[in-house]
Amino acid sequence: MSFFSTYNFSAKKALIRVDFNVPLNENFEITDDTRMTATMPTIKKILADGGSVILMSHLGRPKDGPTDKYSLKHLVIHLKTLLGDVKVDFANDCIGQEAIDKSAALQSGEVLLLENLRFYKEEEKGDNTFAEKLSKLGNVYVNDAFGTAHRAHASTAVIADYFPADKKMFGLLMEAEVISAEKVLHSAEKPFTAIIGGAKVSDKILIIENLLNRATDIIIGGGMAYTFWKAQGKNIGNSLCEDDRMPLALEILAKAKSLGVNIHLPMDSTIADKFAADAQTTNCESYGIPSGWMGLDIGQKAVDDFKEVILNSKTILWNGPMGVFEMEKFQNGTKSIALAVAEATSKGAFSLVGGGDSVAAVNMFHLADKVSYVSTGGGAMLEYFEGKELPGIAAVKKV
Ligand code: AMP
């Protein structure tokens, strides 16, 4: 049992850093409430214990202080719906007299949502005075915002210094994220396959380098695969390529070889005559793409090769799509890989899907509940897999 699960919140005011940075449409309606629902178990456990909850979050990237567009007040109605029969109040500021008064008046079983933390520049600067002011609002600090755990901001990290070790902890969401990530990085059952895709090699270099010391197999798909082919002197036509990363691609291939890690590149591709949904398409070898054509998805041979590796794995980490899955014509690779990961999971493998677009892909194909864990923290998960210590995790663990 974890610290959070065994902690009795009765009569406590829990100050929870949540990640309510949800997408809103032009009518300020929430278009995807995953981040809110993900933290409900944490809030509900505290309320069930007889504690009260003060929620703090950021929303968007406000530049010049309070802006209606980025106000967390737009979330109150939905928060009430999610919590059911619970009194939910809103403070028009996250520090200041209103926040102090409303937190002080909060009764057991009630919730207070504070206004956007990023209306103060001090939040992102990790300002000590601002963090201390926030800390005064509650008597227990709970960090449940894995999505911002890679930021050393006032509410995500600095604030933890104002609570003793027995009054700061991870919430259930954060705990689940950390446990799954640690399982994959530090105690992966072998064979361990990492599937890395997406647009650019440059975004994924650090992850690949870190995984070279851990994975048995690394599958490289998506736009980044073509840099690896061109680096080996192959024709990739007009496919995406980062020429300046070619030496690095060769280094990765050499290092993998010396470490005995199998790197799998897509042997064939679905190619298109333009980057568009109505492009003409055909299939060809990824290492011989004619000029004027570009690889926008992995082909069937690649799907079959990758599937074999995936189905033979005991641990799977997936970050990044295999192709331009936003367009139907280039969806097959990503969908097939998602299905293969789901199948491997049903046969006992542990699978973690992390990082924005692969998460969007498993959701799009309705496979989120067929993999072991879908991370809510895009950037944070990426940095974790790059081998970095996340400030939000370190701050809570610090005694
Ligand atoms: P990332 O954010 O780096 O994971 O990249 C995700 C993006 O990569 C998605 O928007 C995909 O459409 C894009 N992508 C995947 N494969 C390709 C490709 N072969 N060519 C161009 N873009 C791609």
Side-chain angles (χ1 to χ4, degrees):
M1 285 287 258
S2 69
F3 188 31
F4 179 87
S5 311
T6 53
Y7 196 89
N8 185 355
F9 287 91
S10 172
K12 294 276 191 299
K13 279 191 173 55
L15 184 59
I16 320 182
R17 177 49 159 108
V18 290
D19 181 5
F20 278 2
N21 184 27
V22 290
L24 298 175
N25 64 18
E26 59 280 6
N27 299 321
F28 302 115
E29 289 155 351
I30 300 162
T31 54
D32 179 354
D33 70 348
T34 312
R35 287 177 170 156
M36 291 178 79
T37 53
T39 202
M40 284 304 131
T42 298
I43 299 173
K44 287 181 175 168
K45 138 85 179 157
I46 295 170
L47 297 177
D49 276 2
S52 54
V53 166
I54 302 161
L55 298 170
M56 48 181 184
S57 179
H58 74 285
L59 176 66
R61 295 177 175 211
K63 289 204 174 62
D64 303 305
T67 321
D68 190 64
K69 184 178 166 196
Y70 297 116
S71 172
L72 280 164
K73 72 181 180 198
H74 304 303
L75 274 58
V76 173
I77 291 175
H78 192 59
L79 182 59
K80 283 183 177 164
T81 309
L82 292 176
L83 286 169
D85 198 15
V86 169
K87 188 174 168 220
V88 179
D89 199 0
F90 178 71
N92 285 300
D93 197 354
C94 59
I95 52 170
Q97 205 53 48
E98 187 181 340
I100 294 169
D101 291 346
K102 288 196 167 178
S103 324
L106 209 59
Q107 302 292 311
S108 281
E110 294 180 354
V111 173
L112 173 67
L113 174 65
L114 303 177
E115 182 55 290
N116 196 340
L117 295 158
R118 290 198 188 165
F119 285 172
Y120 287 87
K121 296 223 175 336
E122 288 86 344
E123 162 65 358
E124 289 182 79
K125 284 185 182 147
D127 182 79
N128 279 294
T129 313
F130 179 70
E132 189 177 10
K133 281 183 189 161
L134 289 171
S135 75
K136 295 262 192 298
L137 301 175
N139 41 36
V140 183
Y141 171 68
V142 178
N143 189 346
D144 214 24
F146 185 73
T148 49
H150 56 317
R151 310 276 185 222
H153 293 172
S155 69
T156 60
V158 182
I159 191 171
D161 284 344
Y162 296 94
F163 291 88
D166 64 345
K167 292 221 165 49
K168 55 180 174 181
M169 62 198 86
F170 300 135
L172 293 170
L173 170 64
M174 182 90 164
E175 220 170 58
E177 295 272 0
V178 173
I179 288 170
S180 335
E182 285 188 349
K183 187 165 173 168
V184 168
L185 265 201
H186 301 298
S187 53
E189 201 183 329
K190 302 277 170 83
F192 168 18
T193 299
I195 310 164
I196 309 292
K200 289 183 178 169
V201 181
S202 46
D203 290 343
K204 308 286 163 87
I205 291 288
L206 295 173
I207 292 203
I208 297 178
E209 282 181 343
N210 192 29
L211 290 172
L212 279 174
N213 296 311
R214 302 171 195 277
T216 329
D217 295 84
I218 300 180
I219 289 173
I220 296 179
M224 53 188 282
Y226 301 102
T227 301
F228 282 84
W229 281 124
K230 190 172 173 190
Q232 297 174 86
K234 308 296 182 190
N235 286 329
I236 58 161
N238 294 31
S239 306
L240 203 66
C241 186
E242 290 167 280
D243 287 349
D244 58 333
R245 301 293 167 162
M246 290 200 295
L248 201 63
L250 290 178
E251 255 174 57
I252 287 172
L253 292 174
K255 194 165 172 204
K257 199 168 179 194
S258 72
L259 290 168
V261 177
N262 307 308
I263 299 257
H264 306 270
L265 292 174
M267 299 307 278
D268 67 340
S269 294
T270 297
I271 57 170
D273 60 350
K274 57 181 175 181
F275 189 91
D278 64 348
Q280 285 210 56
T281 63
T282 184
N283 182 279
C284 82
E285 287 159 339
S286 304
Y287 43 86
I289 299 177
S291 131
W293 291 78
M294 59 187 84
L296 293 185
D297 194 9
I298 57 171
Q300 193 54 47
K301 167 92 175 68
V303 166
D304 294 343
D305 292 346
F306 292 177
K307 202 172 156 185
E308 195 182 328
V309 178
I310 291 166
L311 291 181
N312 188 37
S313 308
K314 284 272 172 273
T315 306
I316 301 160
L317 166 67
W318 182 18
N319 172 276
M322 297 289 102
V324 185
F325 73 106
E326 298 93 334
M327 298 183 204
E328 210 181 331
K329 280 189 177 171
F330 313 110
Q331 230 170 49
N332 184 59
T334 304
K335 186 173 184 179
S336 304
I337 293 314
L339 284 166
V341 174
E343 190 180 336
T345 311
S346 75
K347 291 186 173 142
F350 180 81
S351 55
L352 167 59
V353 182
D357 278 330
S358 28
V359 173
V362 290
N363 286 330
M364 182 190 256
F365 305 128
H366 309 290
L367 291 167
D369 59 349
K370 301 268 188 312
V371 298
S372 309
Y373 195 75
V374 179
S375 173
T376 57
M381 198 50 109
L382 285 185
E383 290 200 16
Y384 191 92
F385 283 111
E386 287 171 358
K388 292 180 187 151
E389 184 175 53
L390 306 188
I393 296 181
V396 169
K397 284 187 172 171
K398 196 162 97 184
V399 283

